[in-house]
Structures are given as C-alpha cells and as structure tokens.
Amino acid sequence: MKIRVLLFLMIFLCTQVGIASAESPLTAAFIRDHQLWIKQGDKEVQLTKNAYVRSPKWSYDGRFIAYIDGDESGDKSELFIYDMEKKVSFQHYPHVNTFSFKWSPLRNQLAYLDEEEQRVPSW
C-alpha cells in the first residue's frame, strides 16, 4: 500500500512539473551591446535603444526590471524601470544618480541610494 501511494505521488508530481513548465517559459534579462534584452524560450527581444545599460534586476513578481542607464565613463548613472506589461521604460524619480539599488524580496518595492538621500518607493 505504501509503495502504491509513493508511486502515485511521484507520477503526480512529475506530471505537474511538466505542465507548469510548458505553460510559462523562463524569461531572462541580459545585456548585449550595452542594451537591455530579454530571452523568453528561444525568442530574444531588445528592450532599450541608445542606452548604456548596467545591472538589470527583476522585481519580486517579474513585472519590472530595474536598471542603470549610464555612460561609458561612469559619470552618468540614472535609475530606470522597464514595465514588462506596458512595454515601456520610465523613471520613478527623474535624474536619480545611483549605483546601488535592490528590489524587496516580498513586494514590488525598490530601495536605492541616491547621491543625497536613501529612498524606498513602491508600486
């Protein structure tokens, strides 16, 4: 009886994993030629143009990608956010110069250190 229950659980779990992966392919953010790209399955999509992107980081729920748009010398380092649903980049606070930012692991809240102060906006 125990073997049957164990066998049933193994078959059930294996089929559930296969169904979940077929419905939603993994998405990865990456940088190519200083531009922000995503890869979903076998498809690659460029998200930014005329930028110098660094440090892309996903939000808690995967809707947003925060990144630094700077320049090669490092003098410019503005914080931008790409919205995967609306397909647009925006700045929550214009002209935030930072190299240090991090998403909350519990909700869509982004903390960053500005040259002048620390802020923690949420969406």
Side-chain angles (χ1 to χ4, degrees):
M1 181 67 179
K2 290 181 183 180
I3 294 175
R4 287 184 184 177
V5 171
L6 182 60
L7 183 60
F8 173 76
L9 286 175
M10 288 175 52
I11 292 171
F12 178 76
L13 290 175
C14 289
T15 59
Q16 295 302 315
V17 170
I19 291 171
S21 63
E23 290 178 5
S24 57
L26 296 177
T27 302
F30 65 97
I31 298 169
R32 178 186 292 150
D33 297 325
H34 308 294
Q35 303 307 311
L36 181 62
W37 291 69
I38 59 168
K39 182 168 181 156
Q40 294 175 309
D42 293 332
K43 184 179 176 184
E44 293 182 358
V45 179
Q46 185 175 352
L47 304 180
T48 61
K49 294 182 180 177
N50 302 321
Y52 197 93
V53 174
R54 286 181 276 195
S55 305
K57 297 177 184 175
W58 286 98
S59 65
Y60 164 75
D61 65 355
R63 177 177 173 181
F64 303 101
I65 305 172
Y67 63 93
I68 299 293
D69 181 5
D71 58 13
E72 196 169 352
S73 67
D75 293 336
K76 177 184 162 198
S77 59
E78 295 182 335
L79 181 61
F80 279 81
I81 299 166
Y82 185 85
D83 186 333
M84 294 291 291
E85 287 182 8
K86 295 181 180 178
K87 311 265 188 251
V88 65
S89 287
F90 64 93
Q91 287 182 286
H92 191 71
Y93 292 107
H95 310 294
V96 171
N97 288 306
T98 185
F99 285 101
S100 179
F101 66 96
K102 188 170 184 173
W103 287 102
S104 166
L106 303 175
R107 59 181 174 257
N108 285 342
Q109 192 169 33
L110 182 66
Y112 61 89
L113 292 174
D114 194 349
E115 291 178 353
E116 298 177 12
E117 59 186 283
Q118 181 177 348
R119 296 193 187 209
V120 185
S122 59
W123 290 271

